[in-house]
Amino acid sequence: MENNRKTALVTGAGRGIGREIAIAFYKKGYNVVIGYAGNDEAANETKKLCESEGVLGGISLVKGDVSKEETAKKLIETALSFTGKLEVLVNNAGITRDNLLARMTPSDFDSVIDTNLRGAFLLSQMAIRPMMKQRFGRIISISSVVGVHGNAGQVNYSASKAGLIGMTKSIAKELAARNITANAIAPGMIETDMTGVLSDDVKEKINAQIPAKRMGSSKDVANAVLFLADENSGYITGQVLAVDGGMGM
Ligand code: NAP
């Protein structure tokens, strides 16, 4: 039991943005739950990177599909096993299955909505129970610049990310009086495995359209998450914070 520490549950924390978010919370002294889909090696590496920070909080790994109720339940139970409380939920797990609308299969649509949106719904619903009891909570969902502006080839993904924004605002309205905030972050182009599939040529073209003229890092996003999770950010709720080098302006 790590009784004097806060607990943060981060989905999709095996790699990329989620990994940096988990490390950032651990460095701040939180117990962290690292959710991931199936890549054990990557998740163990996140754990190792946390431990190398030398802080002595609790770290638990939970493998499973975030769109399944049993996984969501296990994630919440694991988070509560540290102190009985859950201060921060970060809905970060996400996938892409890009294609033009004319060619997109219903299963590509469903799998993206299930992971990116249903998973966040299940976890938010289960997280608010302990958060209401403790009269404190921070729910932070990783949306995207394309959830605000749309993007050709990403009907499924942009719908899921726009859905996260609507969900965030509704949660914020339902729970503001209970001292639970809900905010979304809309990253632009961040260097991770997800964007690693793009060719250098495509990346160059995208970078040329970003006012900052470069892709962002996972740390840029983690930094914004820490800000929204802070006790002193309690009057910020229902917002969408862009972390995009000016891309979405
Ligand atoms: P990533 O490198 O592809 O990592 C995705 C993480 O999500 C992995 O840990 C993966 O687990 C986990 N995951 C995938 N499907 C899952 C499922 N069904 N259940 C549980 N976990 C699942 O992605 P990223 O680039 O860090 O992106 C993180 C979030 O930021 C996503 O929501 C993404 O949409 C959003 N975002 C990214 C960018 C960008 O430019 N990269 C921009 C805007 C928004 P395994 O490691 O086990 O596979």
Side-chain angles (χ1 to χ4, degrees):
M1 288 282 255
E2 311 292 334
N3 281 317
N4 53 355
R5 294 176 188 277
K6 287 187 192 163
T7 299
L9 159 52
V10 187
T11 66
R15 294 181 280 130
I17 294 170
R19 170 182 282 174
E20 282 307 328
I21 295 170
I23 294 169
F25 276 115
Y26 192 72
K27 273 167 89 169
K28 272 248 163 196
Y30 283 69
N31 304 306
V32 292
V33 180
I34 296 164
Y36 68 105
N39 189 333
D40 297 315
E41 202 182 323
N44 278 309
E45 181 61 19
T46 302
K47 184 169 185 267
K48 245 194 251 164
L49 288 166
C50 286
E51 284 163 350
S52 71
E53 295 296 334
V55 193
L56 293 172
I59 308 174
S60 290
L61 302 183
V62 176
K63 174 159 76 172
D65 181 350
V66 82
S67 70
K68 305 273 185 254
E69 283 175 67
E70 59 265 26
T71 306
K73 208 166 157 233
K74 198 165 163 210
L75 282 160
I76 298 288
E77 279 170 5
T78 305
L80 293 176
S81 71
F82 290 119
T83 65
K85 292 183 180 176
L86 170 59
E87 281 80 6
V88 183
L89 165 66
V90 185
N91 291 310
N92 167 78
I95 56 166
T96 51
R97 295 284 181 272
D98 297 351
N99 219 328
L100 293 173
L101 175 59
R103 293 193 210 124
M104 188 171 284
T105 64
S107 97
D108 282 345
F109 184 83
D110 290 346
S111 58
V112 169
I113 296 292
D114 281 353
T115 301
N116 300 7
L117 191 54
R118 186 174 201 269
F121 157 72
L122 290 173
L123 278 159
S124 301
Q125 188 181 52
M126 292 181 198
I128 60 166
R129 288 174 200 143
M131 285 177 176
M132 285 196 290
K133 215 163 92 189
Q134 72 209 24
R135 292 195 72 81
F136 179 89
R138 300 279 185 263
I139 299 174
I140 300 157
S141 296
I142 309 301
S143 177
S144 167
V145 66
V146 309
V148 180
H149 297 280
N151 194 26
Q154 292 198 304
V155 161
N156 49 359
Y157 184 76
S158 58
S160 73
K161 295 301 184 179
L164 274 181
I165 292 172
M167 188 189 292
T168 292
K169 291 183 179 185
S170 301
I171 295 172
K173 286 189 174 178
E174 284 189 23
L175 292 156
R178 309 263 193 156
N179 200 25
I180 297 169
T181 66
N183 290 288
I185 290 176
M189 285 289 288
I190 308 296
E191 272 188 274
T192 66
D193 292 348
M194 189 177 270
T195 47
V197 294
L198 302 173
S199 69
D200 288 346
D201 191 39
V202 170
K203 280 188 197 166
E204 243 173 64
K205 280 186 188 139
I206 295 171
N207 284 349
Q209 287 162 23
I210 302 171
K213 300 292 173 213
R214 64 171 178 88
M215 291 174 75
S217 71
S218 295
K219 282 196 174 137
D220 291 323
V221 181
N223 204 28
V225 172
L226 279 192
F227 165 68
L228 291 171
D230 197 275
E231 280 194 15
N232 294 319
S233 298
Y235 208 55
I236 304 171
T237 196
Q239 300 305 302
V240 183
L241 177 56
V243 180
D244 65 358
M247 191 182 184
M249 279 191 294

